[in-house]
Amino acid sequence: MTAEPIRVLVTGAAGQIAYSLLYSIAKGDVFGKDQPIILILLDIPPMLPVLDGVVMELQDCALPLLKEVIPTDKVEVAFKDIDAAILVGSMPRKEGMERKDLLKANVAIFKTQGAALDKYAKKTVKVLVVGNPANTNCLIASKSAPSIPKENFSCLTRLDHNRACSQVAMRCGVSSDQVKNVIIWGNHSSTQYPDVHHAKVNLQGAETEAYQAIKDDAWLRGDFISTVQQRGAAVIKARKLSSAMSAAKAICDHMRDIWFGTKEGEFVSMGVYASGNSYNIPEDLIYSFPVQIKNSTWKVVDGLPINDFSRAKMDATAAELVEERDTALDFLSQ
């Protein structure tokens, strides 16, 4: 008895993140090895010829789980009855562009996509926003889709989480699966706070607090944080293109955890609705928290002790998000 195919939408599907992402989804790395998939690929009209090339390549991969590929530039086709939406497409920041201009362009995009989710998608759809500014774009999409539960929306901070994990692992000379429970707090921007106060490193079979394992507080409170915060810019500088392979991997990790849950005793970072959290983060934001996931439902890991150093960093990134939100909501009401 084979499962019914699920409908998975990827936007910005002719772009380079999607190019790294689609193969992993289609071959079963995200939704499971026995879950057939219908892939819906949305992009803007000028990108349709490129999208046709992507469709040809997906066909040429001859993947048994991939039942159908639907390229489109129409939201009513793209969002129809979908089970999962990975919203990668957004207006990128161009040189000399103010953050405000970027927000204005993206509010228009995510208002449209939120309205399309509201009108055409299943009410159980899980929505992951990747396109930047991801937290605020996610908030706008959610507000534009009032009939879909707020809990179904999240934005990607898993790439930052993976970056932080990897930095700690390299510093300790272990593989990254020996590091758990790093946290990314706040905005997917350079104000994010990568926090290892609750992280554990497995050293020769013994679980050690990250601060004990690394024994270099100056690095952990200085270069470690700025390396993770600035990593995207560093990749662009080196590659002349933004992170695509690592972003695609993080998207897969994030969606797989939503589908299958997190491991017992472990948490991951996700931008989620900030209502009713124990960390005094303002309500009505999409803010990155440590979460645990069971039965496709995330829960913020509450009650972790927060020292003054962390508090200041968590508040600073929250302040940036409040300002972004207020600017975006102004545009939304216009």
Side-chain angles (χ1 to χ4, degrees), residues 241-257:
L241 292 163
S242 57
S243 315
M245 187 191 343
S246 53
K249 160 66 164 59
I251 291 166
C252 291
D253 292 345
H254 179 119
M255 283 311 268
R256 190 174 51 244
D257 283 346

Side-chain angles (χ1 to χ4, degrees), residues 153-174:
F153 287 83
S154 55
C155 83
L156 190 75
T157 54
R158 185 58 167 270
L159 177 51
D160 311 298
H161 178 103
N162 288 350
R163 286 165 171 164
C165 249
S166 174
Q167 290 296 319
V168 169
M170 289 191 294
R171 193 77 179 191
C172 295
V174 298

Side-chain angles (χ1 to χ4, degrees), residues 8 55 93 129 139 233 240 254 314 330:
V8 178
V55 172
R93 191 170 185 160
V129 176
L139 187 71
K240 310 291 179 267
H254 179 119
M314 288 161 68
D330 272 353

Side-chain angles (χ1 to χ4, degrees), residues 292-304:
Q292 287 172 321
I293 306 168
K294 251 199 182 93
N295 307 325
S296 304
T297 308
W298 56 263
K299 206 161 121 296
V300 170
V301 178
D302 269 330
L304 294 170

